[in-house]
Amino acid sequence: VIHAGYLNGAYRFVDGGEQVTDILLAGITAAGGILMKNAAVTRIHTADGRITSLEINGEDRIEADQVISAIHPKTLLQLMDPHAFRPAYRSRIYGIPETYGMFSVYMTMRNDFPYVNRNYYSYHAEALWDTYEPDPAGWPNGYMIHYSPLSADPDHTNAVIVNSVMHWKELEPWINTRVESRGDAYREFKQQKAEALLDLVEKDFPGMR
């Protein structure tokens, strides 16, 4: 949950985590690298046990000796030639059960909202992680809440983030869609989820709304 408290603690980035992206991008470009947007890797080509090139958007190719993947292992296997990995390895990866997803609410707070230097984990069900089953009618049954610190005003926050376990199956109607093209039904779905989650948060933190 948020990278296990940014590596096993209740740590957070002052003024937001987007700084990590900015620093990484600056380092990549300083070393001669290029950031490509709207460039989906649609195929990873291999030969003799090594990667040879990446296919971009089903058209262009980028030659590469080494590739770092940060996507789901099952998705990675789907992009590669069947012979790139041994059948036993592919079978093992595809046989691993999926973990849960998260639904997040990002709240922009008024200027005088107090900052709290801790994370809260609220559970309204027994053994939340072990027995969780997708039950939209009974959702949510727990959440984690995180306050973002500000360097200019350490006593107040401008953002509060709430995360709750949610099953992927609830999103199946929109599997093959893209951001900002999912229609009113998707926006209504998100709004209903957000309202239900905020109702639960309000019980623990009166006035949060």
Side-chain angles (χ1 to χ4, degrees):
V1 177
I2 305 187
H3 244 323
Y6 291 125
L7 303 182
N8 303 321
Y11 302 108
R12 62 211 69 189
F13 288 100
V14 176
D15 296 328
E18 66 274 8
Q19 299 167 89
V20 176
T21 303
D22 294 339
I23 292 170
L24 284 172
L25 178 57
I28 289 170
T29 54
I34 299 172
L35 173 67
M36 299 176 63
K37 296 186 291 184
N38 300 316
V41 174
T42 49
R43 196 73 187 164
I44 301 174
H45 297 280
T46 61
D48 300 323
R50 296 187 62 84
I51 289 174
T52 57
S53 64
L54 305 179
E55 182 180 283
I56 306 297
N57 294 334
E59 299 176 354
D60 302 323
R61 282 202 184 190
I62 298 176
E63 294 185 357
D65 295 322
Q66 295 182 344
V67 174
I68 298 173
S69 170
I71 62 176
H72 195 300
K74 293 179 183 179
T75 303
L76 175 65
L77 291 182
Q78 293 169 6
L79 294 174
M80 303 191 73
D81 298 326
H83 63 265
F85 293 100
R86 288 181 295 180
Y89 178 80
R90 298 178 69 92
S91 177
R92 184 174 54 168
I93 293 297
Y94 282 123
I96 296 174
E98 300 289 352
T99 56
Y100 310 125
M102 287 283 176
F103 183 89
S104 296
V105 172
Y106 183 98
M107 294 182 282
T108 301
M109 313 307 286
R110 59 180 185 269
N111 293 334
D112 61 345
F113 198 86
Y115 170 68
V116 178
N117 188 25
R118 60 179 61 89
N119 298 330
Y120 289 98
Y121 298 85
S122 177
Y123 298 101
H124 294 255
E126 294 184 6
L128 174 65
W129 301 101
D130 296 331
T131 61
Y132 177 77
E133 291 294 336
D135 178 18
W139 188 91
N141 46 23
Y143 63 87
M144 173 266 196
I145 191 167
H146 163 99
Y147 295 70
S148 297
L150 294 170
S151 59
D153 187 0
D155 295 327
H156 299 93
T157 183
N158 66 346
V160 175
I161 303 167
V162 185
N163 294 312
S164 184
V165 174
M166 191 185 78
H167 206 285
W168 166 252
K169 290 182 179 179
E170 293 190 61
L171 297 172
E172 286 182 343
W174 301 283
I175 281 180
N176 296 316
T177 60
R178 298 179 66 85
V179 175
E180 300 301 334
S181 65
R182 296 180 178 132
D184 292 338
Y186 181 69
R187 282 187 284 271
E188 291 172 4
F189 169 83
K190 290 197 299 181
Q191 188 64 34
Q192 291 171 359
K193 285 287 184 183
E195 295 294 340
L197 183 53
L198 288 174
D199 284 344
L200 184 59
V201 172
E202 184 72 16
K203 293 179 181 179
D204 295 329
F205 299 90
M208 182 64 71
R209 277 183 175 275

